[in-house]
Amino acid sequence: MPEPKDTIIGILGASGTLAGLLLVFSGFIFAQAASFPSDTSEKITGRYTKAGRLAIIPFWGFLATTLMAVIWLMFPTHCLFVFTSTLFCLLVAWTGVYGTVMAYRYL
C-alpha cells in the first residue's frame, strides 16, 4: 500500500494538470462557438457556450483538490486525506464522462 504522502503528492500534480487541461478544453469549446458565422442560430451557439461553461465545475473541483493536497502536506490528518482522495477520484470520473459526452456531441 502506498504511503499517504506519496498519494497526496500524486494527487497534487495530477489535479493541477487536469485543471489546466480542462481550462484549455473549455477554451477550445468557446472558440468553436465563436467561430460560427454571425447568422448562426443562438440555439446552436448557446449549446456550445453551455458546454464550455460546464467545464468550470470540474476545473474548480480540481483546483480545490490541489489546495486540499497542499493543506494536507502542511497539516496531515486522516480525514483530509480520505476527503481529498475521494474528491479526486470522483472528479476524474466526472471529467471522463464530461469529456466523452462533449467530444461525442460537440466535436
XYZ file of all heavy atoms in Angstrom:
825
model
N 0.848 -1.178 0.000
C 0.000 0.000 0.000
C 0.892 1.239 0.000
O 1.831 1.342 0.773
C -0.880 -0.038 1.243
C -1.802 1.110 1.379
S -3.443 0.487 1.663
C -4.384 1.813 1.061
N 0.603 2.205 -0.874
C 1.438 3.403 -0.918
C 1.269 4.263 0.333
O 0.229 4.243 0.986
C 0.941 4.148 -2.157
C -0.424 3.627 -2.401
C -0.468 2.226 -1.856
N 2.303 4.986 0.634
C 2.255 5.906 1.760
C 1.295 7.053 1.439
O 1.203 7.486 0.289
C 3.645 6.469 2.047
C 4.614 5.446 2.582
C 4.245 4.973 3.972
O 3.855 5.816 4.817
O 4.332 3.767 4.221
N 0.580 7.566 2.443
C -0.341 8.681 2.193
C 0.345 9.902 1.562
O -0.220 10.553 0.696
C -0.889 9.012 3.576
C -0.762 7.752 4.345
C 0.475 7.078 3.818
N 1.582 10.180 1.969
C 2.280 11.338 1.410
C 2.518 11.156 -0.090
O 2.361 12.098 -0.859
C 3.610 11.562 2.130
C 4.342 12.793 1.648
C 5.606 13.028 2.443
C 6.305 14.277 1.955
N 7.544 14.518 2.687
N 2.893 9.943 -0.498
C 3.097 9.684 -1.923
C 1.795 9.842 -2.705
O 1.786 10.379 -3.818
C 3.656 8.275 -2.134
C 5.037 8.097 -1.530
O 5.753 9.107 -1.397
O 5.391 6.950 -1.202
N 0.700 9.376 -2.127
C -0.609 9.506 -2.772
C -0.991 10.970 -2.927
O -1.437 11.400 -3.992
C -1.682 8.761 -1.953
O -1.292 7.394 -1.810
C -3.033 8.847 -2.619
N -0.813 11.745 -1.875
C -1.179 13.158 -1.914
C -0.306 13.923 -2.902
O -0.801 14.786 -3.638
C -1.093 13.787 -0.503
C -2.216 13.244 0.378
C -1.139 15.298 -0.561
C -3.619 13.660 -0.045
N 0.976 13.603 -2.973
C 1.841 14.276 -3.941
C 1.411 13.943 -5.360
O 1.396 14.816 -6.240
C 3.324 13.925 -3.681
C 3.786 14.598 -2.381
C 4.200 14.343 -4.850
C 5.166 14.214 -1.929
N 1.017 12.704 -5.591
C 0.491 12.329 -6.907
C -0.803 13.064 -7.233
O -1.002 13.539 -8.358
N -1.692 13.152 -6.251
C -2.958 13.875 -6.447
C -2.681 15.354 -6.697
O -3.329 15.982 -7.543
C -3.888 13.673 -5.230
C -4.424 12.248 -5.233
C -5.017 14.682 -5.225
C -5.217 11.870 -3.993
N -1.718 15.909 -5.991
C -1.370 17.321 -6.167
C -0.956 17.605 -7.609
O -1.464 18.532 -8.236
C -0.244 17.689 -5.199
C 0.334 19.095 -5.288
C -0.727 20.120 -4.933
C 1.523 19.225 -4.359
N -0.071 16.799 -8.138
C 0.380 17.007 -9.512
C -0.701 16.747 -10.536
O -0.892 17.517 -11.481
N -1.429 15.657 -10.347
C -2.454 15.292 -11.315
C -3.623 16.265 -11.311
O -4.147 16.609 -12.374
C -2.950 13.874 -11.029
N -4.036 16.718 -10.143
C -5.186 17.620 -10.101
C -4.850 18.984 -10.699
O -5.674 19.580 -11.394
C -5.719 17.765 -8.674
O -4.752 18.324 -7.822
N -3.648 19.472 -10.478
C -3.240 20.724 -11.102
C -3.162 20.602 -12.616
O -3.595 21.494 -13.358
N -2.650 19.484 -13.081
C -2.557 19.242 -14.517
C -3.927 19.113 -15.151
O -4.193 19.696 -16.217
C -1.736 17.966 -14.777
O -0.439 18.131 -14.198
C -1.606 17.682 -16.258
N -4.811 18.357 -14.524
C -6.157 18.186 -15.077
C -6.943 19.494 -15.068
O -7.741 19.745 -15.981
C -6.899 17.090 -14.319
C -6.409 15.677 -14.623
C -7.019 14.676 -13.652
C -6.737 15.294 -16.047
N -6.726 20.328 -14.069
C -7.385 21.636 -14.060
C -6.938 22.453 -15.267
O -7.759 23.081 -15.946
C -7.074 22.386 -12.755
N -5.652 22.433 -15.567
C -5.149 23.148 -16.732
C -5.696 22.594 -18.033
O -6.073 23.347 -18.939
N -5.760 21.280 -18.145
C -6.309 20.668 -19.358
C -7.783 21.018 -19.541
O -8.239 21.252 -20.666
C -6.125 19.152 -19.310
C -4.715 18.650 -19.577
C -4.628 17.151 -19.328
C -4.295 18.974 -20.993
N -8.527 21.038 -18.460
C -9.938 21.411 -18.559
C -10.098 22.861 -18.999
O -11.012 23.175 -19.774
C -10.635 21.205 -17.209
C -11.086 19.791 -16.942
C -11.460 19.635 -15.478
C -12.258 19.434 -17.822
N -9.232 23.710 -18.536
C -9.309 25.111 -18.938
C -9.039 25.248 -20.441
O -9.735 25.991 -21.139
C -8.320 25.936 -18.127
C -8.510 27.438 -18.133
C -9.892 27.805 -17.614
C -7.437 28.097 -17.294
N -8.065 24.516 -20.946
C -7.768 24.541 -22.380
C -8.935 23.958 -23.176
O -9.348 24.514 -24.196
C -6.460 23.770 -22.670
C -6.265 23.538 -24.155
C -5.279 24.515 -22.089
N -9.485 22.843 -22.715
C -10.610 22.218 -23.407
C -11.817 23.151 -23.422
O -12.500 23.282 -24.440
C -10.968 20.888 -22.733
C -12.013 20.104 -23.454
C -11.717 19.446 -24.624
C -13.301 20.039 -22.962
C -12.682 18.730 -25.304
C -14.280 19.317 -23.623
C -13.964 18.654 -24.802
N -12.076 23.800 -22.315
C -13.174 24.753 -22.241
C -12.953 25.901 -23.223
O -13.882 26.327 -23.924
C -13.293 25.293 -20.821
O -14.254 26.293 -20.739
N -11.749 26.402 -23.304
C -11.432 27.459 -24.256
C -11.613 27.009 -25.692
O -12.074 27.773 -26.549
N -11.285 25.755 -25.957
C -11.477 25.215 -27.306
C -12.961 25.189 -27.666
O -13.343 25.544 -28.782
C -10.882 23.811 -27.388
C -11.050 23.166 -28.732
C -10.335 23.618 -29.828
C -11.939 22.122 -28.897
C -10.506 23.035 -31.068
C -12.114 21.534 -30.129
C -11.386 21.989 -31.224
N -13.793 24.805 -26.718
C -15.242 24.763 -26.992
C -15.786 26.183 -27.187
O -16.604 26.412 -28.073
C -15.978 24.042 -25.848
C -15.498 22.619 -25.778
C -17.477 24.155 -26.004
C -16.466 21.528 -25.811
N -15.319 27.142 -26.378
C -15.747 28.528 -26.569
C -15.292 29.057 -27.931
O -16.014 29.795 -28.594
C -15.201 29.442 -25.467
C -15.967 29.358 -24.178
C -15.328 29.035 -22.996
C -17.326 29.612 -24.143
C -16.023 28.963 -21.804
C -18.038 29.544 -22.954
C -17.383 29.216 -21.783
N -14.092 28.659 -28.353
C -13.601 29.085 -29.669
C -14.453 28.497 -30.786
O -14.694 29.158 -31.797
C -12.141 28.679 -29.838
N -14.904 27.266 -30.601
C -15.811 26.656 -31.579
C -17.087 27.486 -31.696
O -17.574 27.732 -32.791
C -16.178 25.233 -31.163
C -15.080 24.231 -31.350
C -14.975 23.795 -32.789
O -14.292 24.441 -33.577
N -15.646 22.738 -33.124
N -17.635 27.905 -30.577
C -18.868 28.698 -30.589
C -18.636 30.045 -31.260
O -19.490 30.530 -32.001
C -19.383 28.896 -29.165
N -17.486 30.641 -31.024
C -17.202 31.955 -31.604
C -16.885 31.883 -33.092
O -16.984 32.887 -33.793
C -16.042 32.604 -30.858
N -16.521 30.700 -33.575
C -16.131 30.582 -34.979
C -17.316 30.446 -35.931
O -17.137 30.505 -37.142
C -15.196 29.386 -35.166
O -15.904 28.168 -34.988
N -18.511 30.265 -35.396
C -19.681 30.165 -36.268
C -19.960 31.516 -36.927
O -19.697 32.559 -36.336
C -20.913 29.720 -35.479
C -20.904 28.268 -35.102
C -20.970 27.884 -33.779
C -20.841 27.287 -36.073
C -20.970 26.550 -33.419
C -20.834 25.944 -35.723
C -20.897 25.579 -34.398
N -20.519 31.506 -38.125
C -20.898 32.775 -38.759
C -21.915 33.529 -37.892
O -22.637 32.933 -37.092
C -21.537 32.347 -40.088
C -21.071 30.956 -40.328
C -20.793 30.358 -38.983
N -21.979 34.827 -38.078
C -22.841 35.656 -37.236
C -24.326 35.354 -37.417
O -25.125 35.660 -36.536
C -22.573 37.132 -37.507
O -22.832 37.434 -38.869
N -24.704 34.760 -38.533
C -26.119 34.456 -38.749
C -26.522 33.081 -38.210
O -27.645 32.645 -38.411
C -26.469 34.562 -40.240
C -25.675 33.590 -41.095
O -24.633 33.089 -40.621
O -26.097 33.334 -42.239
N -25.624 32.419 -37.485
C -25.935 31.125 -36.885
C -26.924 31.313 -35.747
O -26.842 32.277 -34.985
C -24.656 30.448 -36.355
O -23.727 30.343 -37.422
C -24.947 29.068 -35.808
N -27.834 30.376 -35.631
C -28.870 30.435 -34.605
C -28.257 30.499 -33.196
O -27.270 29.830 -32.898
C -29.768 29.205 -34.720
O -30.574 29.044 -33.584
N -28.893 31.296 -32.349
C -28.454 31.404 -30.948
C -28.579 30.062 -30.232
O -27.824 29.761 -29.312
C -29.283 32.473 -30.228
C -28.959 32.633 -28.764
C -27.545 33.137 -28.510
O -27.028 33.912 -29.317
O -26.966 32.726 -27.495
N -29.513 29.248 -30.667
C -29.700 27.924 -30.063
C -28.451 27.069 -30.256
O -28.012 26.374 -29.337
C -30.918 27.240 -30.684
C -31.222 25.899 -30.111
C -32.455 25.286 -30.750
C -32.716 23.897 -30.190
N -33.861 23.262 -30.820
N -27.855 27.136 -31.424
C -26.661 26.330 -31.712
C -25.449 26.866 -30.952
O -24.740 26.113 -30.282
C -26.398 26.296 -33.228
C -27.519 25.528 -33.929
C -25.046 25.652 -33.524
C -27.470 25.580 -35.424
N -25.204 28.171 -31.048
C -24.048 28.724 -30.340
C -24.232 28.652 -28.829
O -23.261 28.479 -28.091
C -23.786 30.181 -30.766
O -24.954 30.961 -30.533
C -23.379 30.266 -32.225
N -25.472 28.739 -28.374
C -25.754 28.616 -26.942
C -25.411 27.247 -26.401
O -24.952 27.111 -25.263
N -25.606 26.210 -27.204
C -25.243 24.849 -26.782
C -23.735 24.743 -26.542
O -23.286 24.136 -25.571
C -25.670 23.837 -27.833
C -27.161 23.588 -27.879
C -27.543 22.571 -28.934
N -26.815 21.335 -28.738
C -26.480 20.511 -29.736
N -26.816 20.797 -30.972
N -25.822 19.399 -29.485
N -22.956 25.323 -27.442
C -21.506 25.270 -27.289
C -21.040 26.090 -26.083
O -20.146 25.680 -25.350
C -20.820 25.779 -28.564
C -20.777 24.740 -29.652
C -21.865 24.540 -30.491
C -19.648 23.951 -29.831
C -21.833 23.587 -31.492
C -19.604 22.992 -30.823
C -20.699 22.817 -31.652
O -20.655 21.858 -32.622
N -21.650 27.235 -25.905
C -21.301 28.069 -24.764
C -21.628 27.354 -23.454
O -20.835 27.362 -22.511
C -22.045 29.418 -24.842
O -21.726 30.035 -26.083
C -21.645 30.331 -23.712
N -22.785 26.708 -23.403
C -23.169 25.958 -22.201
C -22.197 24.810 -21.950
O -21.801 24.556 -20.809
C -24.591 25.427 -22.349
C -25.085 24.688 -21.136
C -26.508 24.210 -21.327
C -26.974 23.428 -20.122
N -28.331 22.916 -20.303
N -21.799 24.127 -23.018
C -20.850 23.022 -22.877
C -19.516 23.512 -22.327
O -18.898 22.853 -21.478
C -20.648 22.334 -24.225
N -19.070 24.675 -22.787
C -17.826 25.241 -22.264
C -17.944 25.651 -20.812
O -17.022 25.459 -20.027
N -19.098 26.195 -20.452
C -19.303 26.608 -19.060
C -19.360 25.419 -18.114
O -18.986 25.532 -16.941
C -20.577 27.427 -18.943
C -20.429 28.813 -19.493
C -21.678 29.630 -19.310
N -21.488 30.944 -19.914
C -22.438 31.619 -20.514
N -23.659 31.129 -20.589
N -22.175 32.785 -21.038
N -19.848 24.288 -18.594
C -19.909 23.101 -17.735
C -18.521 22.617 -17.323
O -18.375 21.941 -16.308
C -20.670 21.968 -18.428
C -22.181 22.071 -18.418
C -22.790 20.934 -19.239
C -22.720 22.038 -17.013
N -17.500 22.955 -18.096
C -16.134 22.547 -17.745
C -15.623 23.296 -16.523
O -14.643 22.873 -15.908
C -15.199 22.779 -18.927
N -16.278 24.373 -16.153
C -15.834 25.147 -14.994
C -16.046 24.361 -13.695
O -15.274 24.497 -12.746
C -16.576 26.502 -14.954
C -16.270 27.305 -16.211
C -16.249 27.290 -13.707
C -14.808 27.599 -16.432
N -17.074 23.503 -13.662
C -17.362 22.735 -12.441
C -16.186 21.831 -12.070
O -15.644 21.941 -10.961
C -18.678 21.947 -12.583
C -19.848 22.910 -12.753
C -18.891 21.030 -11.371
C -21.138 22.239 -13.189
N -15.745 20.926 -12.960
C -14.592 20.108 -12.564
C -13.295 20.912 -12.470
O -12.407 20.560 -11.691
C -14.512 19.035 -13.653
C -15.262 19.566 -14.806
C -16.295 20.489 -14.246
N -13.184 22.012 -13.217
C -11.996 22.864 -13.117
C -11.839 23.375 -11.686
O -10.769 23.252 -11.079
C -12.101 24.033 -14.104
C -11.068 25.093 -13.893
C -9.755 24.894 -14.276
C -11.404 26.305 -13.297
C -8.791 25.878 -14.073
C -10.461 27.290 -13.095
C -9.149 27.076 -13.488
N -12.909 23.958 -11.140
C -12.841 24.451 -9.759
C -12.677 23.304 -8.767
O -12.021 23.457 -7.732
C -14.071 25.282 -9.417
C -13.962 26.658 -9.964
C -14.644 27.183 -11.013
C -13.085 27.694 -9.507
N -14.242 28.481 -11.240
C -13.293 28.824 -10.335
C -12.145 27.774 -8.488
C -12.597 30.009 -10.164
C -11.452 28.967 -8.313
C -11.676 30.064 -9.148
N -13.265 22.150 -9.079
C -13.095 20.989 -8.212
C -11.645 20.546 -8.138
O -11.127 20.236 -7.061
N -10.972 20.510 -9.294
C -9.558 20.129 -9.292
C -8.693 21.184 -8.616
O -7.714 20.837 -7.947
C -9.065 19.861 -10.718
C -9.419 18.489 -11.215
C -10.183 18.338 -12.347
C -8.989 17.352 -10.557
C -10.517 17.082 -12.822
C -9.313 16.091 -11.017
C -10.078 15.949 -12.148
N -9.051 22.452 -8.759
C -8.300 23.477 -8.030
C -8.478 23.314 -6.522
O -7.519 23.462 -5.754
C -8.748 24.870 -8.466
C -8.266 25.340 -9.832
C -8.747 26.761 -10.091
C -6.765 25.276 -9.956
N -9.698 22.996 -6.095
C -9.940 22.764 -4.668
C -9.171 21.538 -4.182
O -8.612 21.543 -3.074
C -11.437 22.588 -4.416
N -9.124 20.495 -5.006
C -8.377 19.291 -4.645
C -6.893 19.606 -4.521
O -6.218 19.115 -3.610
C -8.603 18.188 -5.697
O -9.999 17.959 -5.824
C -7.921 16.902 -5.295
N -6.370 20.421 -5.416
C -4.966 20.830 -5.343
C -4.699 21.581 -4.034
O -3.709 21.311 -3.348
C -4.610 21.722 -6.550
O -4.879 21.000 -7.755
C -3.161 22.144 -6.522
N -5.582 22.488 -3.704
C -5.438 23.242 -2.462
C -5.515 22.327 -1.240
O -4.717 22.465 -0.298
C -6.504 24.334 -2.380
C -6.457 25.246 -1.158
C -5.134 25.997 -1.115
C -7.616 26.212 -1.179
N -6.440 21.372 -1.257
C -6.550 20.446 -0.118
C -5.312 19.569 0.006
O -4.887 19.237 1.115
C -7.808 19.578 -0.263
C -9.079 20.350 -0.003
S -10.556 19.335 0.089
C -10.554 18.561 -1.491
N -4.717 19.196 -1.135
C -3.491 18.397 -1.079
C -2.350 19.201 -0.456
O -1.581 18.666 0.350
C -3.117 17.924 -2.487
N -2.263 20.464 -0.801
C -1.225 21.317 -0.204
C -1.475 21.473 1.301
O -0.541 21.391 2.107
C -1.186 22.693 -0.908
C -0.308 23.677 -0.152
C -0.703 22.541 -2.335
N -2.725 21.664 1.682
C -3.052 21.782 3.107
C -2.714 20.489 3.838
O -2.181 20.514 4.954
C -4.532 22.182 3.289
C -4.750 23.616 2.796
C -4.966 22.044 4.748
C -6.205 24.024 2.707
N -2.989 19.333 3.208
C -2.659 18.057 3.848
C -1.157 17.943 4.057
O -0.717 17.393 5.074
C -3.156 16.873 3.019
C -2.942 15.577 3.743
C -3.823 14.955 4.570
C -1.760 14.771 3.729
N -3.254 13.806 5.080
C -1.983 13.672 4.576
C -0.528 14.872 3.101
C -1.041 12.675 4.792
C 0.422 13.888 3.319
C 0.161 12.809 4.162
N -0.362 18.423 3.103
C 1.094 18.358 3.272
C 1.561 19.194 4.459
O 2.557 18.864 5.103
C 1.799 18.817 1.993
C 1.712 17.836 0.824
C 2.255 18.481 -0.446
C 2.456 16.547 1.136
N 0.837 20.260 4.777
C 1.198 21.096 5.928
C 0.618 20.549 7.233
O 1.262 20.613 8.277
C 0.714 22.533 5.705
C 1.433 23.229 4.573
S 0.998 24.979 4.395
C -0.712 24.887 3.937
N -0.616 20.033 7.165
C -1.318 19.533 8.348
C -1.932 18.174 8.039
O -3.130 18.078 7.767
C -2.423 20.507 8.782
C -1.970 21.924 8.917
C -2.291 22.865 7.954
C -1.206 22.317 10.005
C -1.869 24.171 8.069
C -0.783 23.632 10.125
C -1.108 24.559 9.163
N -1.140 17.106 8.052
C -1.664 15.795 7.658
C -2.661 15.219 8.668
O -2.337 15.039 9.833
C -0.421 14.914 7.546
C 0.649 15.616 8.283
C 0.278 17.065 8.362
N -3.884 15.008 8.199
C -4.905 14.336 9.002
C -5.544 13.258 8.140
O -5.610 13.384 6.910
C -5.992 15.313 9.477
O -6.666 15.850 8.340
C -5.409 16.443 10.305
N -6.026 12.225 8.792
C -6.643 11.118 8.060
C -7.922 11.571 7.357
O -8.178 11.185 6.213
C -6.939 9.947 9.008
C -7.580 8.786 8.317
N -6.889 7.993 7.428
C -8.845 8.314 8.347
C -7.698 7.076 6.950
N -8.893 7.239 7.507
N -8.702 12.385 8.017
C -9.968 12.848 7.444
C -9.737 13.639 6.152
O -10.414 13.419 5.145
C -10.704 13.706 8.467
S -12.287 14.346 7.896
N -8.775 14.542 6.173
C -8.471 15.332 4.981
C -7.904 14.447 3.877
O -8.194 14.654 2.695
C -7.495 16.453 5.322
C -7.192 17.460 4.221
C -8.486 18.135 3.726
C -6.202 18.496 4.705
N -7.113 13.443 4.239
C -6.578 12.507 3.254
C -7.700 11.758 2.540
O -7.726 11.675 1.312
C -5.625 11.507 3.922
C -5.167 10.423 2.997
C -4.184 10.680 2.058
C -5.728 9.162 3.057
C -3.756 9.685 1.192
C -5.315 8.162 2.193
C -4.326 8.421 1.265
N -8.642 11.238 3.306
C -9.760 10.490 2.718
C -10.620 11.408 1.848
O -11.004 11.041 0.729
C -10.605 9.821 3.824
C -11.890 9.243 3.268
C -9.791 8.742 4.519
N -10.911 12.601 2.331
C -11.741 13.539 1.567
C -11.057 13.944 0.265
O -11.682 13.970 -0.804
C -12.074 14.769 2.414
C -13.051 15.685 1.763
C -14.376 15.333 1.621
C -12.634 16.907 1.250
C -15.287 16.173 1.000
C -13.531 17.761 0.632
C -14.866 17.392 0.504
N -9.768 14.265 0.328
C -9.024 14.677 -0.865
C -8.957 13.541 -1.877
O -9.194 13.746 -3.072
C -7.607 15.128 -0.481
O -7.694 16.183 0.475
C -6.819 15.597 -1.684
N -8.649 12.344 -1.411
C -8.561 11.193 -2.311
C -9.903 10.872 -2.948
O -9.983 10.593 -4.153
C -8.053 9.966 -1.550
O -6.809 10.219 -0.976
N -10.956 10.909 -2.158
C -12.297 10.614 -2.675
C -12.737 11.667 -3.679
O -13.253 11.331 -4.754
C -13.305 10.528 -1.515
O -12.858 9.542 -0.585
C -14.684 10.174 -2.016
N -12.527 12.930 -3.351
C -12.906 14.001 -4.272
C -12.136 13.884 -5.581
O -12.707 14.051 -6.663
C -12.660 15.372 -3.638
C -13.036 16.575 -4.492
C -14.527 16.560 -4.843
C -12.668 17.862 -3.770
N -10.864 13.568 -5.507
C -10.065 13.411 -6.716
C -10.610 12.285 -7.595
O -10.767 12.458 -8.807
C -8.598 13.146 -6.363
C -7.727 12.930 -7.561
C -7.355 13.997 -8.355
C -7.292 11.663 -7.902
C -6.560 13.804 -9.472
C -6.495 11.458 -9.013
C -6.129 12.531 -9.797
N -10.925 11.164 -6.993
C -11.469 10.036 -7.767
C -12.811 10.393 -8.410
O -13.059 10.055 -9.575
C -11.618 8.804 -6.879
S -10.041 8.104 -6.362
N -13.672 11.069 -7.663
C -14.969 11.477 -8.220
C -14.793 12.474 -9.369
O -15.490 12.385 -10.388
C -15.845 12.091 -7.131
C -16.364 11.126 -6.062
C -17.061 11.902 -4.952
C -17.295 10.106 -6.673
N -13.874 13.396 -9.216
C -13.635 14.383 -10.271
C -13.039 13.753 -11.522
O -13.382 14.140 -12.644
C -12.722 15.498 -9.759
C -13.377 16.501 -8.829
C -12.322 17.370 -8.161
C -14.364 17.364 -9.585
N -12.175 12.776 -11.352
C -11.618 12.083 -12.516
C -12.731 11.364 -13.267
O -12.817 11.426 -14.502
C -10.498 11.101 -12.101
C -10.142 10.158 -13.228
C -9.266 11.876 -11.657
N -13.628 10.700 -12.532
C -14.753 10.011 -13.176
C -15.664 11.014 -13.877
O -16.072 10.807 -15.027
C -15.533 9.202 -12.143
N -16.003 12.132 -13.199
C -16.863 13.159 -13.792
C -16.216 13.755 -15.044
O -16.879 13.978 -16.050
C -17.162 14.254 -12.780
C -17.704 15.508 -13.396
C -17.053 16.683 -13.551
C -19.002 15.698 -13.969
N -17.860 17.598 -14.170
C -19.061 17.012 -14.446
C -20.108 14.886 -14.126
C -20.191 17.536 -15.062
C -21.228 15.412 -14.744
C -21.260 16.716 -15.204
N -14.921 13.989 -14.990
C -14.221 14.561 -16.141
C -14.205 13.589 -17.310
O -14.346 13.999 -18.468
C -12.788 14.961 -15.749
O -12.864 15.876 -14.656
C -12.047 15.601 -16.900
N -14.075 12.314 -17.026
C -14.139 11.314 -18.087
C -15.487 11.294 -18.771
O -15.585 11.254 -20.000
N -16.539 11.353 -17.980
C -17.900 11.390 -18.540
C -18.100 12.689 -19.315
O -18.602 12.687 -20.444
C -18.960 11.239 -17.421
C -20.352 11.524 -17.945
C -18.883 9.855 -16.809
N -17.704 13.806 -18.727
C -17.858 15.104 -19.382
C -17.107 15.135 -20.714
O -17.649 15.538 -21.741
C -17.352 16.224 -18.468
C -17.244 17.559 -19.165
C -18.373 18.338 -19.368
C -16.030 18.027 -19.649
C -18.293 19.563 -20.021
C -15.940 19.241 -20.295
C -17.073 19.994 -20.482
O -16.986 21.194 -21.141
N -15.863 14.715 -20.701
C -15.056 14.738 -21.917
C -15.622 13.848 -23.001
O -15.643 14.216 -24.178
N -16.107 12.683 -22.612
C -16.687 11.762 -23.589
C -17.945 12.352 -24.210
O -18.107 12.347 -25.438
C -17.007 10.415 -22.922
O -15.796 9.875 -22.374
C -17.599 9.440 -23.914
N -18.825 12.871 -23.388
C -20.082 13.434 -23.893
C -19.812 14.661 -24.759
O -20.382 14.796 -25.849
C -21.034 13.781 -22.723
C -22.221 14.592 -23.198
C -21.500 12.509 -22.037
N -18.941 15.544 -24.301
C -18.669 16.760 -25.071
C -17.988 16.443 -26.395
O -18.306 17.036 -27.417
C -17.813 17.747 -24.263
C -18.505 18.307 -23.055
S -20.066 19.111 -23.441
C -21.146 18.287 -22.309
N -17.049 15.529 -26.377
C -16.352 15.171 -27.611
C -17.316 14.491 -28.589
O -17.269 14.744 -29.793
C -15.167 14.255 -27.319
N -18.189 13.683 -28.089
C -19.145 12.985 -28.942
C -20.179 13.921 -29.527
O -20.546 13.823 -30.696
C -19.819 11.857 -28.147
C -20.806 11.064 -28.951
C -20.372 10.163 -29.914
C -22.170 11.224 -28.760
C -21.285 9.435 -30.663
C -23.089 10.501 -29.500
C -22.635 9.609 -30.449
O -23.542 8.900 -31.189
N -20.662 14.872 -28.725
C -21.766 15.732 -29.158
C -21.307 17.005 -29.862
O -22.048 17.540 -30.690
C -22.643 16.121 -27.972
C -23.405 14.936 -27.405
C -24.279 15.340 -26.265
N -25.414 16.110 -26.781
C -26.227 16.782 -26.009
N -26.042 16.814 -24.720
N -27.241 17.450 -26.529
N -20.147 17.528 -29.517
C -19.801 18.855 -29.992
C -18.566 18.924 -30.888
O -18.305 19.954 -31.488
C -19.580 19.797 -28.805
C -20.841 19.996 -28.008
C -21.056 19.318 -26.820
C -21.844 20.843 -28.466
C -22.219 19.498 -26.100
C -23.003 21.018 -27.759
C -23.191 20.342 -26.580
O -24.346 20.511 -25.872
N -17.772 17.891 -30.958
C -16.566 17.978 -31.767
C -16.648 17.139 -33.014
O -17.360 16.245 -33.172
C -15.349 17.566 -30.940
C -15.114 18.410 -29.688
C -13.894 17.888 -28.959
C -14.908 19.862 -30.057
